[in-house]
Amino acid sequence: MKTSAVQPADIARSVFAVPPVAMSADGTINRAENAKMIRHIEAGGVSSLLYGGNANIYNFDLETYRAMLDMLEASAAPESWVIPAIGPDFGKMLDQARILRDRPYPTALTLPTTVATHPLGVEAGLRRTAEVFGKPLFVYAKSENYLTPAQFGALARDGVICAIKYAIERKGPRHDAFLDALVQEVDRKIIVSGMGERPALTHVHEFKLAGYTSGLVCILPAVSQAFLKAAQAGDTAKAASIAARFIPLENAREKYGFIRVLHTLVRLAGVADTGPILPLLADLTPAEITELTPMLDVLLEKTPA
Ligand SMILES: N[C@@H](CC=O)C(=O)O
């Protein structure tokens, strides 16, 4: 596992896979199936793994969190960059930062929340968390009222944050006043598009963000990596045609829940047995699986689009 301090080159080199965590029937971490998933992602040329929302860390107790960290440290290849999430609330962030400060991870992703927050409090909380952790944070921007662009700028200049996962949803990603302001405050080299394939080409090609995060990359890592490299190189026709392959499933993930759909799709695709998802989420119903399977077959090119 790569443990050196975060540099912009690390951020641009690979898609950020945002994997689910495979669980055993008794609700504990399944080490063998997670290792299998990690091998599959790495074999596709993806070397950045972000254990964030899709990992369902929101619903982990601290024992499960420690077990996940042990599994990641034992399973990732030496050159892979693995980033666990913390939060979303201040108390959980601090508890997890205290666990992480004795571990080799170079940063941690802050999970987003809009409950019981104020931008001034979020800034104070992130400063305190980074101090406890002893390293800068990777901040997940998912709503406009979490932090202002100016606050992001101040946190970056002060070394409190080393990267931003930008995931504020828009009807069309081209028109985004918040992102326009953010790139005036923060170097684009430390901002990644954080919402899967749908806005990623606009974010990488037009806003010149450094890269993107994706859940479906866990199924087709080499294809996602090819998409990133095409978008970064300005080959928009190639990037758009690759992205089109992912869109039907991304739309279905939005309809039925991004995290729970990915958790099951990774199993249905034969990547790893992800097992039952932890509450407060719930596994897909048989009817949902029946609806989604043909879309997965299109993604896997078992059937034409
Ligand atoms: N939520 C997106 C990006 C991950 O952070 C996805 O799951 O594809």
Side-chain angles (χ1 to χ4, degrees):
M1 193 170 85
K2 186 181 123 48
T3 58
S4 52
V6 178
Q7 298 297 331
D10 301 321
I11 298 173
R13 76 184 158 143
S14 167
V15 181
F16 285 84
V18 189
V21 168
M23 308 301 293
S24 301
D26 63 1
T28 59
I29 302 281
N30 185 329
R31 289 177 72 109
E33 291 303 312
N34 282 296
K36 199 165 140 189
M37 198 187 321
I38 291 169
R39 291 287 89 77
H40 173 78
I41 294 167
E42 292 172 338
V46 171
S47 55
S48 300
L49 292 89
L50 199 51
Y51 282 79
N54 291 339
N56 196 16
I57 289 173
Y58 294 97
N59 289 310
F60 281 14
D61 60 17
L62 291 181
E63 189 184 335
T64 308
Y65 188 72
R66 284 192 188 89
M68 178 192 73
L69 298 176
D70 291 343
M71 175 277 292
L72 294 174
E73 287 159 39
S75 309
E79 66 281 5
S80 288
W81 186 22
V82 182
I83 303 165
I86 57 174
D89 59 274
F90 182 53
K92 203 165 169 187
M93 269 201 275
L94 278 185
D95 283 342
Q96 291 164 333
R98 288 186 190 106
I99 292 171
L100 286 177
R101 71 181 163 200
D102 299 322
R103 303 257 185 171
Y105 301 91
T107 184
L109 176 77
T110 60
L111 290 172
T113 180
T114 52
V115 179
T117 65
H118 183 283
L120 294 176
V122 172
E123 180 175 346
L126 295 182
R127 287 182 184 277
R128 177 80 189 113
T129 303
E131 200 177 294
V132 168
F133 179 30
K135 293 170 192 164
L137 302 169
F138 197 136
V139 176
Y140 195 148
K142 199 168 171 52
S143 59
E144 290 201 354
N145 56 4
Y146 192 67
L147 287 170
T148 64
Q151 286 179 300
F152 273 110
L155 290 169
R157 285 189 293 279
D158 293 347
V160 175
I161 68 176
C162 58
I164 299 169
K165 178 181 189 293
Y166 184 77
I168 301 181
E169 284 178 32
R170 307 289 175 200
K171 285 207 172 71
R174 265 192 194 94
H175 305 288
D176 190 335
F178 191 97
L179 185 53
D180 286 334
L182 186 63
V183 297
Q184 297 306 313
E185 294 281 348
V186 177
D187 188 345
R188 298 165 206 254
K189 292 194 179 83
I190 67 161
I191 309 174
V192 293
S193 175
M195 287 181 278
E197 285 72 17
R198 293 183 299 182
L201 179 54
T202 303
H203 282 165
V204 173
H205 179 60
E206 296 180 27
F207 284 90
K208 304 291 178 215
L209 302 191
Y212 86 106
T213 72
S214 157
L216 292 179
V217 61
C218 303
I219 296 173
L220 286 180
V223 178
S224 296
Q225 186 65 11
F227 167 76
L228 173 68
K229 291 300 153 190
Q232 286 173 333
D235 188 345
T236 52
K238 180 175 176 186
S241 104
I242 299 174
R245 203 167 151 186
F246 290 86
I247 303 303
L249 265 180
E250 279 297 273
N251 291 339
R253 288 182 67 209
E254 181 170 26
K255 180 172 170 194
Y256 292 114
F258 282 99
I259 301 172
R260 62 190 284 270
V261 171
L262 182 71
H263 192 91
T264 297
L265 286 182
V266 166
R267 175 174 62 78
L268 295 176
V271 173
D273 184 355
T274 45
I277 197 164
L278 282 185
L280 304 176
L281 282 170
D283 290 310
L284 296 190
T285 64
E288 288 167 342
I289 291 178
T290 302
E291 183 180 336
L292 294 175
T293 301
M295 296 179 208
L296 178 62
D297 288 345
V298 170
L299 179 71
L300 297 174
E301 293 187 328
K302 286 187 187 167
T303 51

